[in-house]
Amino acid sequence: MKTTFATKEIVERIAAQYPTPFYLYDEKGIRENARKLKQAFAWNKGYREYFAVKATPNPFILKILQEEGCGVDCSSLTELMMSEACGFSGSDIMFSSNVTPAEDFKLAKKLGAYINLDDITHIDFLEQVAGLPETIFCRYNPGGHFEIETHVMDNPGEAKYGFTTQQLIDGFKILMQKGVKHFGLHAFLASNTVTNAYYPKLARVLFETAVMLKKETGADIRFVNLSGGVGIPYRPEQEPNDILAIGEGVRQAFEEIMVPAGLGDVAIFTELGRFMLGPYGNLITKAVHEKHIYKEYIGVDACAANLMRPAIYGAYHHITVLGKENAPCDHKYDVTGGLCENNDKFAVDRMLPKIDMGDYLAIHDAGAHGFSMGYNYNGKLRSAEILLCEDGSFKLIRRAETPADYFATFDFTGLFPQK
Ligand SMILES: *Cc1c(COP(=O)(O)O)cnc(C)c1O
């Protein structure tokens, strides 16, 4: 059985003050998980997690992770601005972008962030718009298929990111000629992996590439960034990743490949998003309509504009009917939002306890790539975000949008006076 941190009692208490739908985050779970990750890589002296801001761009969440020693991984101007406002600067920031606008590079450079180039042409572009820093990262794309024991995990050859192997060699040489002193290597080859083998396999690829680059170019390689991609068990039957085993697998690869090549001082970075926040956020919604036609429908007050993963990826998100955790799942429902879009369904043919109007539903594993992928289709407004604090109290960490927010970009027209 898949359980979650939200309970009926907690949600009723919050809903008395902040109406559904809202996102609810579990501070205790976030902190414990961040500590375990740190422990998994404690063998590496320079290890640091740079939380992928795009997963959960909320200053209160970033502050919690900052207290746990994390930096931030940004890929846009506003993510950099949010990070700066939260007090991240210099080596606290990774800037891993692609198709990068000039102003983004300018701010990243000004903040002293570690800049991770996505392409060899970005060398000249960055030099022109902001100047080259002393330390630079390059993102690697080995092409082909990325396999773990004959199982194809993903298809880097079809991915838009990164330098080819030859471009890395040429790029490092060019960057050294232009005065860059220290280097990092980065790759992101598979997303939401639920296997302890992903990071160790990726690490082997990057470590072998680092050894090759050192030999071919003489570059001073200081960092290897394993990026994101460690996943979470969205489905009840999935076995969660064991982050301690993952850290140990990376350590073994490091001892085998890096230490003998004189690269034993290289720092390992990670840029996890989903693994850091996914399980520690729920979308809380209320059953507001039921409909009995060719199928049984439960209509809720959230919709795909609040959480789009089921609609665009067909992603599974477990649902708990709060207060009915132990009731038999003897009703088959489609759980839907109110968009004029038939793919606006949080669940299809899902066996759940009998749902009554007014029941609260917790949609699990929405803490990463959930709120942040929200949108305003059908004029739907973004929900509030609430933090369940370690002491059991709760705190509003983002207010819900109002119609005034929705109309704000027409402020020059005078059509929607802001009250
Ligand atoms: C999205 C992203 C991440 C985080 O990915 P997760 O799947 O959430 O771990 C890390 N690095 C980069 C460059 C990304 O684009």
Side-chain angles (χ1 to χ4, degrees):
M1 197 171 96
K2 199 168 152 70
T3 58
T4 186
F5 62 91
T7 64
K8 184 175 181 212
E9 182 270 326
I10 291 167
V11 164
E12 279 180 340
R13 225 170 356 118
I14 298 171
Q17 198 171 342
Y18 304 111
T20 54
F22 53 78
Y23 272 80
L24 183 63
Y25 300 96
D26 174 25
E27 180 180 9
K28 186 161 172 280
I30 295 169
R31 287 190 189 275
E32 285 174 0
N33 185 62
R35 285 172 199 170
K36 213 162 146 194
L37 172 69
K38 215 167 145 181
Q39 187 193 336
F41 286 92
W43 56 267
N44 182 261
K45 205 155 71 43
Y47 172 73
R48 199 167 186 198
E49 153 70 5
Y50 290 80
F51 174 64
V53 174
K54 73 167 191 265
T56 322
N58 184 300
F60 293 86
I61 300 290
L62 298 189
K63 280 283 186 188
I64 291 171
L65 292 170
Q66 187 177 47
E67 287 169 14
E68 297 301 333
C70 300
V72 281
D73 163 42
C74 300
S75 57
S76 69
L77 184 74
T78 50
E79 289 176 2
L80 286 167
M81 290 167 72
M82 185 182 287
S83 300
E84 184 182 16
C86 291
F88 294 95
S89 68
S91 62
D92 302 328
I93 306 175
M94 277 294 315
F95 185 61
S96 292
S97 62
N98 67 96
V99 196
T100 313
E103 56 182 343
D104 298 28
F105 270 144
K106 280 184 191 153
L107 182 55
K109 176 82 187 329
K110 189 180 135 221
L111 294 174
Y114 287 132
I115 295 177
N116 182 23
L117 297 179
D118 180 64
D119 188 61
I120 193 163
T121 63
H122 289 195
I123 295 171
D124 287 343
F125 185 68
L126 175 61
E127 186 179 33
Q128 280 161 26
V129 301
L132 292 171
E134 271 202 354
T135 301
I136 213 146
F137 286 63
C138 294
R139 183 168 182 165
Y140 180 38
N141 183 336
H145 296 283
F146 182 70
E147 291 177 16
I148 296 177
E149 289 155 8
T150 74
H151 175 69
V152 176
M153 303 280 306
D154 220 318
N155 201 352
E158 296 292 326
K160 67 174 176 172
Y161 308 107
F163 291 54
T164 66
T165 311
Q166 188 58 49
Q167 284 175 341
L168 277 184
I169 297 168
D170 298 341
F172 270 44
K173 286 180 180 164
I174 295 166
L175 286 162
M176 286 166 76
Q177 277 163 17
K178 290 181 184 289
V180 171
K181 295 204 168 60
H182 315 297
F183 288 83
L185 196 58
H186 169 286
F188 189 166
L189 301 185
S191 191
N192 190 31
T193 58
V194 190
T195 157
N196 295 337
Y198 170 64
Y199 255 7
K201 176 74 200 280
L202 170 71
R204 272 173 202 279
V205 171
L206 283 172
F207 293 164
E208 278 161 7
T209 308
V211 172
M212 178 277 289
L213 285 167
K214 186 185 168 201
K215 204 169 116 225
E216 294 286 325
T217 69
D220 175 30
I221 298 171
R222 295 273 178 99
F223 311 97
V224 168
N225 186 335
L226 301 175
S227 188
V230 175
I232 59 170
Y234 285 98
R235 291 177 176 273
E237 69 274 14
Q238 280 178 306
E239 187 69 30
N241 285 319
D242 176 351
I243 198 64
L244 297 177
I246 290 173
E248 174 56 21
V250 174
R251 189 191 67 77
Q252 283 172 16
F254 192 87
E255 296 290 335
E256 272 173 48
I257 303 165
M258 297 292 270
V259 174
L263 289 168
D265 288 331
V266 165
I268 305 292
F269 289 173
T270 54
E271 286 174 347
L272 296 169
R274 195 184 313 272
F275 182 79
M276 301 305 286
L277 253 297
Y280 314 109
N282 286 331
L283 173 57
I284 305 293
T285 185
K286 188 162 73 176
V288 290
H289 286 285
E290 59 189 304
K291 176 162 181 162
H292 316 280
I293 49 170
Y294 308 104
K295 297 182 83 171
E296 292 294 299
Y297 292 96
I298 295 296
V300 296
D301 59 5
C303 65
N306 302 110
L307 175 67
M308 81 188 308
R309 298 188 72 260
I312 61 162
Y313 306 132
Y316 179 94
H317 279 262
H318 201 68
I319 294 177
T320 296
V321 184
L322 296 177
K324 298 184 177 174
E325 285 81 354
N326 298 314
C329 292
D330 53 4
H331 284 64
K332 191 193 269 187
Y333 293 118
D334 280 17
V335 178
T336 82
L339 292 185
C340 302
E341 269 271 12
N342 195 43
N343 65 1
D344 183 14
K345 294 181 177 179
F346 291 115
V348 176
D349 295 333
R350 183 78 57 90
M351 296 307 295
L352 290 166
K354 178 175 187 306
I355 296 175
D356 296 297
M357 294 305 92
D359 279 353
Y360 291 112
L361 276 58
I363 303 178
H364 294 217
D365 299 316
H369 312 295
F371 181 97
S372 59
M373 290 176 91
Y375 54 108
N376 281 125
Y377 192 53
N378 265 177
K380 296 288 184 182
L381 303 175
R382 288 181 173 81
S383 77
E385 294 184 292
I386 291 162
L387 182 68
L388 179 61
C389 305
E390 275 185 301
D391 64 3
S393 65
F394 61 88
K395 181 161 89 181
L396 184 71
I397 58 171
R398 186 195 302 262
R399 68 163 172 80
E401 275 183 348
T402 65
D405 295 316
Y406 182 72
F407 294 124
T409 44
F410 297 113
D411 54 359
F412 63 97
T413 67
L415 278 171
F416 307 97
Q418 308 265 321
K419 292 198 199 79

